[in-house]
Amino acid sequence: MVDILRPDEVRQKYGQLFCRGFLTMVDEENGIAQIVEKCISKGPGEWDVVNRKRSGGVIKDIRMDGQTLIMDVAVGERELHFGPVSEHVGGQGLAALKVEGDRVRTTWYGIAGATIGIGACIPQCQDVIQTEYPDDFKMGGAHVAHVDIITPKTVRVIVGIDDTDTKEKGASWVSTLKMGSKCPIGSFIEHKIIQLNPKVPNKTTNCCSTAVSFAVKEEEIPALIEFCSDFMKEESFSENSVMTVFKGLRIPDALKEYGMRAKTEILTEDDAVKAAEESGVLVINLTGPAGVIGAVASIGCFDMGGEAAGIPEDFR
């Protein structure tokens, strides 16, 4: 028999714990997902990174950003290998991630103290729908336990922006960060500033574009696009503002190549439109067309980490 508890019921049973965010974004076309888990402290996350890497399962990569864990995950099921070390230090791992309609089921295993993280901490997060516990579930001590955590299925949407400012007014990165933080649709995930070729003739000062990402339900995408478009039209001081939109967790190689070219070459609007069309990027002219070059590049560079913020010679 399975015991099913909502987050409020988990809190009532075990007391208030530490998980402050648990989002599951799925890219079914590419068979991948990303889990974003937020904790109130960095230490537990660092322990989770080490132990989840050790156990294998469906986690392909896991990293820490401040107090947030970011997990790149394969959709499906894979065997866990805690190894002999688990006898002495415990362990934790993700054995499966499966899409069930508009929900995502993640199957977690824990040993010893790690059972508390999967059995009481994550399940009480407000982002969780419910958690399913087997009838032999026990936490803490030397127990081995597993749970199924059910969450809403979301997708990642990146919104790129360029050319909203002039030499006298505005800063695109500020407007875009305001847009992300004020958006009432879905969950605001990341904000990036993309350094482009500073030698291009048509620029304001630094020649940067910018982009933000959201975790949203599929049916929320039109409303998200409408909100972002309306917000940026109000914020723009330029007659050449452009917004771009991309859905998915894997940015196409051709689009990443275009993004890198925009850091060293002088590209045209036609180059940008072609790159967008070939990579499934939606282009929306907010006030005019010229910003398309940087707006497309902002999506191409979005997942490049620190390299997005510089030009190639910064990393030689």
Side-chain angles (χ1 to χ4, degrees):
M1 187 174 178
V2 175
D3 191 18
I4 301 175
L5 298 179
R6 302 186 310 269
D8 62 307
E9 294 171 322
V10 177
R11 283 192 295 274
Q12 184 177 9
K13 185 173 183 178
Y14 296 115
Q16 181 72 49
L17 290 176
F18 320 113
C19 185
R20 295 296 179 266
F22 192 79
L23 302 170
T24 49
M25 294 177 283
V26 179
D27 185 337
E28 292 183 85
E29 183 178 344
N30 289 299
I32 56 177
Q34 189 173 89
I35 300 173
V36 177
E37 178 184 348
K38 298 179 180 179
C39 186
I40 66 169
S41 176
K42 189 173 183 179
E46 291 173 332
W47 191 92
D48 287 341
V49 167
V50 172
N51 281 271
R52 293 175 189 177
K53 278 185 177 179
R54 179 189 296 131
S55 67
V58 294
I59 294 178
K60 301 169 69 176
D61 184 60
I62 180 170
R63 54 204 177 273
M64 200 79 190
D65 183 0
Q67 295 168 195
T68 299
L69 287 92
I70 302 169
M71 290 163 274
D72 296 326
V73 178
V75 175
E77 186 171 3
R78 294 180 184 175
E79 189 176 352
L80 293 174
H81 300 280
F82 288 113
V85 71
S86 62
E87 180 182 344
H88 306 286
V89 301
Q92 189 183 88
L94 178 59
L97 183 146
K98 297 178 181 178
V99 179
E100 300 177 344
D102 61 355
R103 296 183 173 191
V104 174
R105 175 184 297 270
T106 50
T107 302
W108 297 85
Y109 282 79
I111 301 173
T115 57
I116 298 172
I118 63 165
C121 193
I122 298 173
Q124 64 179 250
C125 179
Q126 63 181 2
D127 297 318
V128 172
I129 297 172
Q130 64 189 38
T131 300
E132 299 178 2
Y133 299 83
D135 55 10
D136 61 349
F137 178 81
K138 293 180 180 179
M139 287 196 314
H143 297 296
V144 178
H146 83 273
V147 298
D148 282 6
I149 298 174
I150 314 301
T151 50
K153 185 188 85 169
T154 64
V155 296
R156 182 178 75 161
V157 175
I158 304 173
V159 178
I161 301 289
D162 197 23
D163 211 340
T164 66
D165 51 354
T166 67
K167 292 185 183 296
E168 293 78 28
K169 294 181 180 180
S172 293
W173 74 269
V174 174
S175 299
T176 310
L177 186 53
K178 285 167 60 179
M179 177 187 74
S181 61
K182 292 183 177 183
C183 182
I185 301 151
S187 298
F188 171 39
I189 304 295
E190 289 186 284
H191 170 273
K192 300 288 182 72
I193 301 174
I194 315 299
Q195 178 64 59
L196 303 176
N197 185 355
K199 298 178 181 178
V200 299
N202 298 319
K203 63 175 186 176
T204 48
T205 304
N206 296 324
C207 196
C208 289
S209 61
T210 182
V212 293
S213 64
F214 301 89
V216 297
K217 297 177 182 178
E218 195 91 37
E219 63 270 20
E220 294 176 328
I221 295 176
L224 175 69
I225 293 173
E226 181 178 9
F227 172 84
C228 293
S229 177
D230 290 346
F231 188 95
M232 293 310 300
K233 284 178 182 176
E234 288 291 325
E235 288 284 318
S236 179
F237 295 100
S238 165
E239 296 181 353
N240 283 296
S241 304
V242 172
M243 184 174 96
T244 51
V245 183
F246 177 81
K247 183 188 80 170
L249 291 168
R250 181 172 291 164
I251 295 173
D253 289 342
L255 188 56
K256 290 190 283 188
E257 181 183 348
Y258 169 86
M260 289 303 294
R261 287 179 59 202
K263 291 176 175 292
T264 58
E265 299 180 27
I266 297 176
L267 302 175
T268 67
E269 293 173 29
D270 288 342
D271 293 328
V273 171
K274 181 181 178 182
E277 290 175 347
E278 292 176 346
S279 301
V281 175
L282 174 66
V283 175
I284 301 171
N285 288 347
L286 299 175
T287 62
V292 68
I293 298 171
V296 173
S298 70
I299 293 178
C301 296
F302 194 82
D303 288 335
M304 292 182 182
E307 290 188 33
I311 50 179
E313 54 253 46
D314 292 330
F315 303 97
R316 290 173 184 159

